[in-house]
Amino acid sequence: MEGKKFMWMLKKDLLSLWRHKPRLVSMFLFPIIMIVLFGYGMGGTIENVPIAIVDQSHGEMADQTLMAVKNMSLFEVKNITSNVNLAKEMVNNGEVKAAIILPPNYDDTSTDQSKMVVLYLDSSDQIASQAIVPATQGLFSQLSAQIGAEKLASLEVQNTAMNPQSSSSNGSGVANTTDNSTADNSAADSSGADSSISSNVNGIVNSINLQINRIYGDIAYIDFLVPAVLAMTVMMSCMMGMGQSIAGERETGELARLFMTPTSITTVVGGKIFSKLIIEIAKALILLAAAILLFGITINGNIFLAIGVLILGALTFVGFGIMISATTQTQEDYTQIVMPFTMPMMFVSGVFYPIETMPWIFQKIAYLFPLTYLNDAMRGVMIKGAGIGDIWIDLLVLLGFLVFFFVAGVIRFDRDV
């Protein structure tokens, strides 16, 4: 008898799960998504970092350098120009991560003066910077060694031409008949040539010097991480909070009792949005203060703009939560449905690692998530000191998500569920 009751209970739970199709799909979809993210999206090597190259010499050595850069999987050359200001502007605007500036004398082999190559670097992306700097240093060290070897070979040829007796052997013994004055002159010439070679070698050792200009200074990983963690925390708090606020109250019957009063959907949704917004503003201020006090984080931009961006992000994710919870019957249903959205956003939107570390398909998917734009705006304000004019695209996209989520949530909202 107990065995039969046990089977009834099992059948009941399975049927209950089968009737909640969104929860069923999410239960199987979520682990697959996480495996894919960890397998392909995390811990990858940085590739295809966009850069610009300034070629001011237009010679054979410059062409060789351009080819070497293009053959590196780390870099994706977006622009080759002779305009230094244009390349720097591309870095400042975030179009590329760095600009490699070759000097006008880069192809001049007639002088022993070292060439000064400048790496103009967007240091706000600390992880990308850690890959760009050593790779560029290695590249120009190799090129410098190559130039040095070629110059040394050229000097040896010149020395041989100036002192043929030093490299030839005379089997007939004619050299022995040379008088002392001739020998002394030959020795003096040889000594002068050796001195010339020694002085030239000093100039060859550092044929190419690399100067690194970090436009935002030395950025620590914590500086890179905190703005995105603030955004991620707001996202998780808003979306999980809306599950309790709407789906949870629907499950307990509180929402049904509320709708027995002469109250419209707009009033209910608007009230929940406003109450949630007040809570999230308070949380955002506490998080921001903790980051400043505990980690010494500095906000290079306007602190009120940073708070405003967080508020816009909070509204966006509250809207997302309303859209998902509009028709869910229980809080468990809501959680199962929302997890396949929140977890991928955490890993794909560049919170912990730059988007460039991920496969190209994940890089494209990242720009479908609002958290990507919130991260970009927060890092722009806090690290780069950006103003509204610099992050207006991110704000506009967040506003578009906000309107879409709220409209979809109100339209789909089922007060009878």
Side-chain angles (χ1 to χ4, degrees):
M1 180 63 70
E2 292 298 323
K4 185 177 293 186
K5 290 180 180 179
F6 177 82
M7 294 303 296
W8 286 345
M9 292 298 299
L10 177 62
K11 182 178 180 181
K12 168 189 168 297
D13 289 341
L14 292 177
L15 285 175
S16 176
L17 180 61
W18 179 255
R19 290 173 183 146
H20 294 80
K21 296 297 192 302
R23 187 200 305 179
L24 180 64
V25 172
S26 297
M27 285 179 61
F28 290 101
L29 183 63
F30 178 66
I32 295 174
I33 291 175
M34 295 308 298
I35 289 174
V36 171
L37 286 175
F38 278 103
Y40 295 103
M42 301 296 293
T45 56
I46 299 180
E47 294 183 348
N48 302 319
V49 177
I51 66 167
I53 299 179
V54 179
D55 181 7
Q56 301 180 86
S57 60
H58 307 289
E60 182 179 349
M61 190 62 196
D63 292 340
Q64 185 178 349
T65 302
L66 294 177
M67 186 60 64
V69 172
K70 288 180 179 179
N71 289 335
M72 297 175 67
S73 61
L74 174 65
F75 296 129
E76 180 182 358
V77 179
K78 291 292 187 180
N79 191 15
I80 300 175
T81 179
S82 58
N83 190 329
V84 176
N85 292 329
L86 174 62
K88 289 184 175 180
E89 190 65 24
M90 292 181 69
V91 178
N92 295 336
N93 292 337
E95 298 177 49
V96 294
K97 295 290 184 182
I100 299 174
I101 305 173
L102 306 180
N105 68 336
Y106 191 70
D107 280 276
D108 185 4
T109 58
S110 63
T111 178
D112 294 329
Q113 182 181 1
S114 62
K115 284 77 174 173
M116 181 62 72
V117 176
V118 176
L119 177 65
Y120 191 76
L121 180 65
D122 176 2
S123 57
S124 64
D125 191 337
Q126 191 262 354
I127 295 181
S129 299
Q130 284 184 336
I132 294 172
V133 171
T136 309
Q137 288 173 332
L139 170 65
F140 285 104
S141 293
Q142 183 179 356
L143 291 171
S144 183
Q146 178 181 335
I147 294 174
E150 292 174 356
K151 284 187 176 182
L152 281 174
S154 176
L155 286 173
E156 288 176 359
V157 170
Q158 292 177 11
N159 183 46
T160 301
M162 293 173 61
N163 301 280
Q165 292 181 353
S166 64
S167 59
S168 62
S169 61
N170 193 339
S172 61
V174 175
N176 295 331
T177 64
T178 306
D179 59 24
N180 292 335
S181 63
T182 303
D184 292 340
N185 291 335
S186 177
D189 291 342
S190 177
S191 176
D194 291 341
S195 177
S196 176
I197 291 175
S198 297
S199 63
N200 287 330
V201 166
N202 292 330
I204 289 171
V205 172
N206 293 318
S207 296
I208 302 177
N209 292 328
L210 181 65
Q211 175 182 321
I212 302 172
N213 291 349
R214 293 177 169 87
I215 62 177
Y216 301 112
D218 290 325
I219 302 297
Y221 180 61
I222 190 67
D223 297 312
F224 171 81
L225 186 64
V226 164
V229 168
L230 289 172
M232 181 192 71
T233 304
V234 167
M235 175 202 75
M236 294 294 293
S237 179
C238 289
M239 295 185 69
M240 293 306 174
M242 290 313 297
Q244 179 182 1
S245 180
I246 295 181
E249 289 185 8
R250 178 180 281 128
E251 184 178 7
T252 59
E254 294 179 41
L255 202 60
R257 289 193 294 271
L258 182 61
F259 282 132
M260 290 177 183
T261 65
T263 307
S264 65
I265 293 176
T266 305
T267 302
V268 173
V269 173
K272 291 188 174 297
I273 291 170
F274 190 71
S275 62
K276 195 65 182 172
L277 184 59
I278 292 175
I279 295 172
E280 293 309 319
I281 291 173
K283 284 185 178 180
L285 292 174
I286 293 172
L287 287 170
L288 211 54
I292 294 171
L293 295 175
L294 297 178
F295 302 107
I297 299 300
T298 58
I299 300 177
N300 294 318
N302 190 315
I303 188 171
F304 296 105
L305 178 58
I307 295 172
V309 171
L310 280 177
I311 292 172
L312 178 59
L315 281 170
T316 301
F317 291 114
V318 165
F320 190 92
I322 289 175
M323 183 182 70
I324 298 297
S325 63
T327 56
T328 51
Q329 300 179 17
T330 66
Q331 190 171 348
E332 185 178 357
D333 286 347
Y334 175 86
T335 303
Q336 290 293 336
I337 294 172
V338 86
M339 287 299 285
F341 292 99
T342 56
M343 295 302 290
M345 270 198 279
M346 288 173 56
F347 292 109
V348 176
S349 298
V351 174
F352 305 103
Y353 300 94
I355 295 175
E356 289 80 12
T357 63
M358 302 173 190
W360 68 270
I361 184 64
F362 288 168
Q363 295 182 32
K364 304 303 179 185
I365 293 174
Y367 292 100
L368 300 177
F369 293 135
L371 184 59
T372 301
Y373 302 94
L374 183 56
N375 288 341
D376 189 60
M378 287 299 295
R379 285 188 174 125
V381 176
M382 294 182 65
I383 298 177
K384 301 179 181 180
I388 293 179
D390 301 309
I391 60 171
W392 69 270
I393 294 178
D394 294 321
L395 299 181
L396 188 62
V397 173
L398 286 173
L399 191 60
F401 276 117
L402 171 64
V403 173
F404 173 77
F405 291 153
F406 276 120
V407 171
V410 171
I411 292 175
R412 296 179 67 247
F413 200 93
D414 189 354
R415 60 185 292 164
D416 297 324
V417 172

